[in-house]
Amino acid sequence: MYRYFLQPQLDASNNSLIGYELLIRQRVDGKWVLPHDFASIPIDVQADLIRRTAQKLLLKIGSVSFNTNQSQFIDGRIAEAIITAQKQIYPINLVLEVTEEKTDEHITNRQIIDQVHYFDEHGIQLSLDDIGTGINTYGHLKPILPYASEIKFAMQNFRQEGRADQIPENLKFWKDVADQHHLRLILEGVENEAEHEMANDLGIDFRQGRYYGKPHLFKLDGD
């Protein structure tokens, strides 16, 4: 069985909830765990979960976001399931967070851009996740930035790579990129007061992390 855990996304300028990231988990031996292989989860299962979850959140938030890799993002069958889910949860906006995965290196920028235009027609936005880590370098993402709506800076990725000391400099760089391209910038992985104050100093309003709320199981009817 699969369910989404929800983590709030906040606008710290007025302390308001703007949306949730949906983090899929699988129940194994009575515990909720990360799925071993995200790509193996049937898209109709994910689409149905998105619909059921978002419909219970109606009027409470403006958007829900969930992760796809680049291969999933351009997959036509997955796109149709996502578009159907968007129609069913309107007026909540669906945001697709495209992650960095080295297995996606064969995907071209033209494929991504063409799919962005297709999703745009149905009110679905592109978020570039994990910026500044893995293959999601500025050079790699530069051609796609004009077509995105949002970028996400995941501090936890820098910590895992042993680059925590590089966070302030990199975050300032990506804040400038977001301003230049008129993108929402969400700072992810805020865990303490010092990081909260760093975001204040840099003028980054949109945030996500355990400091504001841990991911929590969202129960559906029948659970």
Side-chain angles (χ1 to χ4, degrees):
M1 181 171 72
Y2 297 98
R3 286 292 181 268
Y4 278 119
F5 277 57
L6 274 55
Q7 186 165 37
Q9 298 175 330
L10 303 178
D11 181 347
S13 68
N14 56 19
N15 197 33
S16 63
L17 178 69
I18 60 171
Y20 287 105
E21 180 176 358
L22 307 182
L23 304 164
I24 199 162
R25 298 290 184 267
Q26 183 176 14
R27 193 166 179 83
V28 178
D29 296 330
K31 296 181 180 180
W32 292 104
V33 299
L34 281 169
H36 178 68
D37 180 12
F38 288 93
S40 69
I41 304 171
I43 187 57
D44 54 341
V45 170
Q46 292 196 61
D48 182 62
L49 273 180
I50 292 168
R51 177 187 60 80
R52 293 171 64 195
T53 302
Q55 285 180 338
K56 287 195 68 174
L57 293 169
L58 280 174
L59 305 180
K60 295 180 182 179
I61 54 168
S63 67
V64 293
S65 60
F66 77 105
N67 293 333
T68 69
N69 60 32
Q70 292 183 8
S71 298
Q72 293 168 328
F73 184 77
I74 66 169
D75 185 287
R77 179 173 168 269
I78 291 176
E80 291 307 312
I82 290 171
I83 289 167
T84 298
Q86 172 64 88
K87 291 176 180 177
Q88 292 171 331
I89 68 174
Y90 182 83
I92 292 178
N93 292 322
L94 195 55
V95 180
L96 300 184
E97 297 186 10
V98 179
T99 61
E100 60 86 17
E101 286 190 18
K102 290 183 173 57
T103 55
D104 290 335
E105 288 180 342
H106 64 285
I107 305 297
T108 67
N109 289 331
R110 175 46 54 189
Q111 287 176 291
I112 295 291
I113 291 167
D114 287 346
Q115 194 73 339
V116 171
H117 290 317
Y118 180 60
F119 279 132
D120 273 346
E121 295 173 2
H122 299 277
I124 298 169
Q125 298 180 0
L126 166 64
S127 172
L128 298 172
D129 201 1
D130 304 322
I131 54 173
T133 57
I135 66 170
N136 276 359
T137 61
Y138 177 70
H140 181 72
L141 296 177
K142 185 178 179 181
I144 305 173
L145 287 170
Y147 304 93
S149 298
E150 172 185 290
I151 55 178
K152 293 190 74 176
F153 187 99
M155 290 195 289
Q156 64 271 24
N157 290 6
F158 281 82
R159 298 185 193 109
Q160 291 169 2
E161 294 177 0
R163 300 166 56 206
D165 59 321
Q166 299 178 21
I167 287 175
E169 179 182 358
N170 279 268
L171 184 53
K172 186 178 186 305
F173 170 81
W174 285 103
K175 172 67 163 60
D176 291 341
V177 170
D179 291 344
Q180 177 185 350
H181 290 276
H182 308 289
L183 301 170
R184 291 190 308 273
L185 169 61
I186 295 184
L187 178 60
E188 190 178 3
V190 181
E191 295 187 349
N192 53 51
E193 181 71 21
E195 292 170 351
H196 170 79
E197 290 300 331
M198 177 181 65
N200 287 344
D201 293 341
L202 291 172
I204 299 171
D205 292 332
F206 302 132
R207 307 174 197 174
Q208 178 182 340
R210 291 177 179 270
Y211 182 78
Y212 307 108
K214 297 178 181 179
H216 61 276
L217 173 65
F218 190 76
K219 292 186 177 182
L220 297 173
D221 295 337
D223 284 354

